[in-house]
């Protein structure tokens, strides 16, 4: 059994952050230790929410408690997602160092959620800078969207070629794998939902159908990052993990679309997460 410390947001209603990542990783056979950075009533893209940011000290306290019962050595990976304050970034990096000290083989996946005010995704001041200056170089795997790809690389990304160059630039900054969760307008085909995977062996592209929702569901990136990490921890190659992730997420989106839901239908699609019916293939970029 592989174990993941998942440091992300929590929503009581709906699916985002740990609510979007934990159940799918568990379905994939991963034991998830969920540590919440915030507890909100619902995700912020509703435009209103209640709840609170967890004090940064709690991250270290939770790690200390796990360590004191001798279990930190059994943590195989840390994943971070939505972060509630700039101070939490440093605490998360410190937490990974603690895990790494107990298990040198542990890896860190950073899902660098920087916010998208136009969509109503709000993050605290200083989080973006912390992710760029502290977390990125520590990450083994980083999973940006298009906006985050620009910020992390420091490059313009307006087309596919620039997206490939930006992914390569991030690899040079420390991460061993870069999974671009959504190319959006920088993709080859705007009628497709496109993703990139870059590692030291090359760059791969995959496209799947783009579902047109009245309101785009939230938590897709959290689901994507969690599934990719789960696949890697189960021993799959980068490409096999990439393909399973893309196909499973597509089936979740198809199920969500069919049910006319604003919230991801993870429970309804639970069997498809494990065994997707979609069969889209990754293509290596020459």
């Amino acid at each position: 059994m592989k174990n993941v410390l998942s440091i992300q947001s929590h929503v009581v209603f709906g699916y985002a952050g740990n609510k979007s990542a934990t159940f799918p990783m568990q379905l994939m056979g991963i034991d998830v230790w969920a540590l919440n950075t915030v507890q909100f009533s619902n995700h912020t893209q509703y435009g209103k929410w209640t709840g609170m940011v967890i004090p940064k000290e709690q991250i270290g306290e939770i790690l200390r408690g796990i360590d004191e019962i001798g279990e930190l050595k059994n943590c195989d990976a840390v994943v971070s997602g939505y972060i509630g304050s700039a101070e939490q970034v440093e605490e998360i990096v410190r937490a990974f160092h603690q895990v790494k000290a107990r298990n040198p083989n542990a890896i860190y996946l950073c899902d660098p959620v920087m916010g998208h005010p136009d969509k109503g995704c709000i993050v605290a001041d200083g989080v973006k800078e912390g992710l760029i200056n502290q977390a990125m170089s520590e990450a083994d795997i980083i999973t940006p969207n298009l906006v985050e790809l620009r910020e992390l690389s420091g490059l313009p990304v307006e087309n596919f070629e620039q997206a490939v160059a930006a992914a390569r630039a991030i690899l040079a900054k420390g991460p061993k794998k870069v999974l671009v969760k959504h190319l959006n307008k920088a993709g080859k085909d705007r009628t497709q939902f496109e993703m990139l995977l870059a590692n030291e062996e090359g760059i791969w592209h995959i496209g799947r159908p783009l579902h047109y929702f009245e309101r785009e569901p939230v938590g897709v990136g959290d689901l994507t990052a969690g599934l990719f990490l789960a696949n890697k921890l189960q021993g799959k190659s980068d490409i096999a993990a990439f393909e399973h992730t893309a196909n499973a997420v597509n089936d979740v989106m198809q199920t969500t679309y069919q049910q006319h839901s604003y919230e991801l239908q993870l429970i309804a699609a639970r069997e498809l997460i494990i065994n997707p019916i979609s069969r889209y293939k990754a293509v290596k970029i020459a």
Side-chain angles (χ1 to χ4, degrees):
M1 178 75 71
K2 297 293 185 177
N3 304 296
V4 171
L5 175 65
S6 183
I7 309 176
Q8 304 193 52
S9 61
H10 173 77
V11 293
V12 174
F13 172 82
Y15 293 91
N18 268 330
K19 279 285 291 291
S20 185
T22 297
F23 178 55
M25 285 195 281
Q26 289 171 331
L27 288 173
M28 296 294 294
I30 304 298
D31 192 6
V32 182
W33 308 349
L35 200 172
N36 301 325
T37 54
V38 305
Q39 177 158 286
F40 290 163
S41 55
N42 49 271
H43 66 68
T44 61
Q45 293 189 43
Y46 278 97
K48 55 184 177 180
W49 65 94
T50 59
M52 67 177 292
V53 175
I54 303 303
K56 67 181 179 65
E57 293 83 5
Q58 182 165 321
I59 295 174
E61 277 293 291
I62 295 296
L63 266 288
R64 183 170 65 84
I66 297 172
D67 197 23
E68 286 180 353
I69 63 171
E71 290 295 331
L72 205 58
K73 67 180 184 296
N74 295 318
C75 183
D76 298 288
V78 174
V79 56
S80 66
Y82 185 97
I83 295 171
S85 68
E87 294 79 11
Q88 286 182 349
V89 179
E90 185 176 349
E91 290 295 321
I92 289 168
V93 171
R94 185 177 293 116
F96 174 60
H97 290 168
Q98 288 179 264
V99 170
K100 194 79 169 174
R102 297 290 183 261
N103 178 7
N105 294 318
I107 62 173
Y108 173 34
L109 186 151
C110 176
D111 189 8
V113 181
M114 295 181 181
H116 202 309
D118 293 342
K119 291 184 176 181
C121 180
I122 309 299
V123 299
D125 292 341
V127 168
K128 178 178 75 173
E129 292 77 12
L131 289 167
I132 294 170
N133 298 323
Q134 298 178 63
M136 175 168 56
S137 62
E138 299 284 345
D140 296 281
I141 307 168
I142 198 159
T143 58
N145 61 22
L146 180 60
V147 172
E148 296 149 3
L149 183 65
R150 292 188 184 112
E151 295 287 353
L152 292 170
S153 67
L155 298 173
V157 184
E158 304 299 333
N159 55 48
F160 186 76
E161 290 73 22
Q162 289 179 336
V164 169
R168 289 193 174 114
I170 294 174
L171 283 178
K173 295 173 185 278
K176 300 177 182 66
K177 309 178 201 304
V178 180
L179 173 61
V180 184
K181 296 173 296 192
H182 186 194
L183 286 172
N184 204 311
K185 296 177 181 179
K188 292 182 174 183
D189 182 351
R190 294 193 180 184
T191 68
Q192 292 277 302
F193 189 103
E194 299 173 81
M195 301 165 65
L196 281 182
L197 174 67
N199 63 19
E200 61 183 8
E201 297 174 356
I203 296 186
W204 286 261
H205 169 268
I206 197 166
R208 62 169 177 80
L210 181 62
H211 303 286
Y212 295 95
F213 293 87
E214 287 187 19
R215 292 193 299 174
E216 287 289 331
V218 172
V220 182
D222 310 317
L223 169 64
T224 300
L227 282 177
F228 185 77
L229 180 60
N231 274 290
K232 286 303 301 173
L233 290 176
Q234 294 291 28
K236 289 187 180 179
S237 69
D238 289 357
I239 308 312
F242 186 39
E243 290 178 342
H244 178 274
T245 298
N247 287 313
V249 173
N250 183 67
D251 288 353
V252 170
M253 298 306 289
Q254 178 67 24
T255 302
T256 303
Y257 180 78
Q258 289 170 343
Q259 296 196 13
H260 308 286
S261 176
Y262 182 36
E263 295 286 351
L264 291 175
Q265 294 299 298
L266 298 179
I267 296 173
R270 60 193 181 278
E271 294 179 1
L272 298 172
I273 291 172
I274 302 169
N275 295 302
I277 58 174
S278 295
R279 291 290 185 269
Y280 299 102
K281 293 292 185 182
V283 176
K284 190 171 186 181
I285 304 302

